[in-house]
Amino acid sequence: MTLRRYITRRVLVLPLMLVGITLLSFVLSHAVPADPISANLGEQAAANPAAVAAFRQRWGLDRPLPQQYVVYLAHLARGDMGVSISTHQPVAIDLRQHLPATIELAVAAMLLSLTLGIPLGIVSAVRRDSVIDQISRGGSLVGVSMPVFWLGLVALLIFYARLGWVPSPGQLSPRLPRPPFVTGFIILDALLAGQGDTARDAIAHLALPALVLGSYSVGVITRMMRGSMLDVLGEDYVRTARAKGLPRVIVTLRHAARNALLPVLTVIGLSFGGLLSGAVVTESVFAWPGLGSYAFRSATSLDFPAIMGVGVIVASVYVLVNLLVDVAYAMVDPRIRMG
Amino acid sequence: MNRRTFLGVMGQGIGVAVASHLMHTRTARAAPAGRGTLVMAPSFVIRSLDPGHVLEPVAEMVCHAAYDSLVTFEGEDLQTPKPSLATSWKVSSDGKTYTFALRPNVKFVSGNPMTSADVKWSFDRIINLKANPTFFLDGVEEVLAPDQQTVVLRMKAPQPSIVPILSSPSLGILDSKVVAEHGGESGLDAKTKDQAEAYLNGHSAGTGAFSIEGYTPNQEVVLARNPRHWRGLAAMERIVVRNIPEASTQALQLARGDLDIATGLGRDNAQTLRRVSSISVQSSRVATSFVFMVNEDPQLSGQLSNPKVIQAIRYALDYDGILTIAGPGAIRMAGVIPNTLPGSLDPREAVRTDRDKARALLREAGLASIKGTLMYSSDVTNYGIQYSLLAQKIQADLAAVGIAIDLNGLPGTISLQNYRDGKAPALFGGYAADYPDASDFLVYLPGRLVGKRMRWPANATPATQELAQWGDEAEAEGDLRKRVALLQKVQRRLLEIGPYAPLFQPALPWAYRADLRGVTFHSVWGVDFYAVRRV
């Protein structure tokens, strides 16, 4: 099978998976024994039959459930994700406003995890049981096991409140102008608008939450990379390469690290999805206006269209990232697409 | 494809997919700011900034800044309505016609003059939208605009509470021309035809001291000073209301000087901030009544609904201990009307803990073993009060006199649903005033909002019938002295025969930078931005 056919087949399955995801989230979110009326209508209005009827009609809740689902799917196929019950604006627009902040955070956290985790893992494996190895093993254990909430608050207390190295929580200093909305990625938008100060400010705001959010994946990636590297270093071809008299750096990086990266790729893909959906807590501590806070709010107010929208987006990103990981896998190791 | 490009592609892919459905992008552009900008952080849920749909605290605060109502209250006062867009008002002798004289030469932020036609249009829209705030005007038969400067409300029955009700930010006066141009409807079919909400979420069309410059749902609202405001320019040029859900984060930012006002603080944070000299920590009493309630349907609440048992519960509760859970600033309530409103009972009149009396009452009831279930929201912390802690306290207090209570902690949305459906066996909760008037708390009466939810109809007994009757009389009484006396009589009777034990009136912990002046916290609309200035 060629690489192109492999990708095509994987892409064709996507819509089916999405339908499955929507069905699952629809059934699950309607299984909650509560009514969005309670969460979204005021006390007095909730007791007024005319207001309740108007609410049901306005949000399409007066139709039978299967019909609501079919209508939802039909709209979704046209790219219409419905209107959010809790923000009263199209879910697509809500997501467009919240998703970039989360992607920015997740990408920054991922980049941090990669630039820290992979070299640390390699060094740890090569200098096994050295001081560096001990420190990186200890550090990654802490990174993996520390509750993000606690870590975030402690980091804020030290780096923001005490030392003043990082700016206030949030995406941007409140006293700075927000760049005009173009892509939604605030750093990019600021650069596009030529607001260098704003871009710098946004990057400064991103640093700490990205570090906190990335701490878990740094730990995971370091540990995976170390283990995988140790396996590979024991292989015959590494010994052969060394015996041929190749420089140590070349053997470690080109022969060993490249092969050791394979299993780590899967973990990277999975943790990126985790970063997206798991950012809820980090976003709350750092007042980061991303998808996590939106998802939480939608869930607590039983905002079905928004819950579905978040589900569809997170699932799509997850599926996409996995696809890309598999493709990367197939590119690195041709045996995979043959299977 | 390397990792960096694929991440970029992924971001774009999603962007394009969503952008295809993008109807309008919002540009929240702010000028560089410094001392003229006020940054405040509540933890907010804003569902709408269209006054016709607004009924959440922070949205009310924004609407109060952007829209003037006919009347208002000053600072934290809840007792004396003051003129705003109406300069004066008078009541007909039968108490059913209210005539308001409008302030001349008031202009909307658009430059359009504000006239009685705008007032009529705004009120008609509220009535016909059938949304959250519609109930405010339930008592209104008709809105008339006999001339440009006069508005007349014809009521279905005498209702003196209509004056304080008109202070509600939801009843702010809209620029009827501008709103109608953006899809606003005030006619009978407004509930389906009105399309102005999307516009009003990003702009405002009022006469208020500020106008909405930008709103990003879940994130922030930016207000800019209205250059045409009739009281003269506000001191602050710009207000940034930013959602900071985490209380500790708010406290840190306030301490660092990145925030001016924080209203979403926890009690621990407020305590810590008291040690910071540049910060003023406040605890403002809110017009909310915290009450323990029992369902009158014995099928649900078992023996708890027995009148003797309810009386015993009232004597068994350790109110001093409960006040500690409620936090600093909270005070006892003798009745169901909060102490800050005319018509409330003196807190010194409140029941005192007397376990012997409680046990005696239970013996009189002659019941073998008394069991019950207390439903509460396990995930809710309101006004710094942890509901789960309060539930445990009540359980322990009742156990001390021999009432065994099972705790049934549920997520807030589900317990709220059960309560509204009248399915909660016993619970406690805070009923927050929608408008600053004691009549809002008559909801506890038999046959009214809360009464019905406790399965307590007006026609349950001759006594409930009489009580409901007194309630109606109190509501219609125009003479303040007589009204207060009636409200007090109603509350005393309510506690003799009703399924309630009033617990306390809570206080909200909040704080602001000490270089601010004029910052107050009103029970309905929070901070009045017009009054705030920096020294």
Side-chain angles (χ1 to χ4, degrees), chain A residues 35 43 58 88-89 160 285, chain B residues 197 217 249 258 417 453:
Chain A
D35 193 323
E43 282 284 316
R58 184 168 181 212
H88 294 197
Q89 68 168 352
Y160 167 66
V285 173
Chain B
E197 191 181 8
T249 309
D258 288 329
Q417 179 80 48
R453 288 171 179 171

Side-chain angles (χ1 to χ4, degrees), chain B residues 176-197:
Chain B
S176 59
K177 281 198 198 70
V178 169
V179 179
E181 272 166 27
H182 290 92
E185 284 283 341
S186 67
L188 286 173
D189 48 2
K191 135 184 124 152
T192 47
K193 286 255 176 72
D194 184 272
Q195 302 292 334
E197 191 181 8

Side-chain angles (χ1 to χ4, degrees), chain B residues 99-119:
Chain B
T99 307
F100 296 85
L102 295 186
R103 190 176 296 280
N105 307 320
V106 175
K107 285 194 160 53
F108 287 106
V109 72
S110 64
N112 293 337
M114 188 274 303
T115 69
S116 60
D118 295 299
V119 179

Side-chain angles (χ1 to χ4, degrees), chain A residues 25-70:
Chain A
S25 12
F26 190 84
V27 170
L28 284 179
S29 56
H30 283 85
V32 182
D35 193 323
I37 306 240
S38 271
N40 290 286
L41 268 187
E43 282 284 316
Q44 305 269 1
N48 176 353
V52 170
F55 182 88
R56 287 190 182 285
Q57 196 188 350
R58 184 168 181 212
W59 303 106
L61 300 166
D62 50 348
R63 293 177 229 163
L65 270 189
Q67 196 187 335
Q68 283 184 42
Y69 179 65
V70 172

Side-chain angles (χ1 to χ4, degrees), chain A residues 32-35 37-47 50-51 54 57-58 79-81 85-90 92-94 96-99 103 107 110 114 149 153 156-157 160-162 164 168-175 177-178 180-181 185 195 265 268-269 272 284-285 287 289 293-294 297 300-302 313 317 320-321 324 331, chain B residues 1 3-4 6-7 10-11 14-15 18-34 37 39 44-48 53 55-56 129-132 134-135 138 191-192 197 201 215-220 240 242-246 248-249 252-254 256-260 413-414 416-417 419-420 431 434 440 443 449 453 534:
Chain A
V32 182
D35 193 323
I37 306 240
S38 271
N40 290 286
L41 268 187
E43 282 284 316
Q44 305 269 1
Q57 196 188 350
R58 184 168 181 212
D80 176 359
M81 305 179 95
I85 299 177
S86 56
T87 65
H88 294 197
Q89 68 168 352
I93 288 178
D94 278 351
R96 174 129 177 76
Q97 274 162 348
H98 289 92
L99 190 62
I103 289 184
V107 167
M110 201 69 231
L114 292 177
F149 182 76
L153 275 179
L156 265 184
L157 203 64
Y160 167 66
R162 277 285 145 74
S168 65
Q171 235 187 337
L172 204 63
S173 301
R175 292 180 170 85
R178 249 185 118 78
F181 190 98
F185 295 93
Q195 301 170 338
L265 267 181
I268 294 172
F272 188 76
S284 152
V285 173
S293 47
Y294 183 67
R297 213 273 273 288
T300 47
S301 57
L302 297 173
I313 283 293
V317 172
L320 251 169
V321 170
L324 291 171
M331 279 161 73
Chain B
M1 194 193 299
R3 181 123 208 132
R4 208 173 281 252
F6 102 57
L7 288 171
M10 197 191 67
I14 292 161
V18 180
S20 63
H21 193 62
L22 200 69
M23 296 184 340
H24 49 237
T25 42
R26 208 154 275 151
T27 53
R29 225 182 189 303
T37 296
V39 185
F44 67 61
V45 174
I46 290 180
R47 301 212 159 81
S48 178
H53 291 276
L55 206 66
E56 278 94 31
L129 274 179
K130 303 275 177 252
N132 276 347
T134 295
F135 78 95
D138 275 351
K191 135 184 124 152
T192 47
E197 191 181 8
N201 275 342
Y215 164 52
T216 316
N218 232 359
Q219 301 181 20
E220 73 178 13
V240 178
R242 178 168 286 192
N243 189 14
I244 302 184
E246 180 46 42
S248 313
T249 309
L252 279 179
Q253 294 205 49
L254 188 68
R256 287 282 303 180
D258 288 329
L259 258 187
D260 292 310
T413 41
I414 296 174
L416 181 62
Q417 179 80 48
Y419 156 67
R420 283 181 175 173
Y431 187 90
D434 300 300
D440 198 20
V443 287
L449 190 70
R453 288 171 179 171
R534 215 185 280 280

Side-chain angles (χ1 to χ4, degrees), chain B residues 454-466:
Chain B
M454 291 302 114
R455 304 276 179 94
W456 197 35
N459 59 7
T461 60
T464 57
Q465 222 144 17
E466 184 191 44

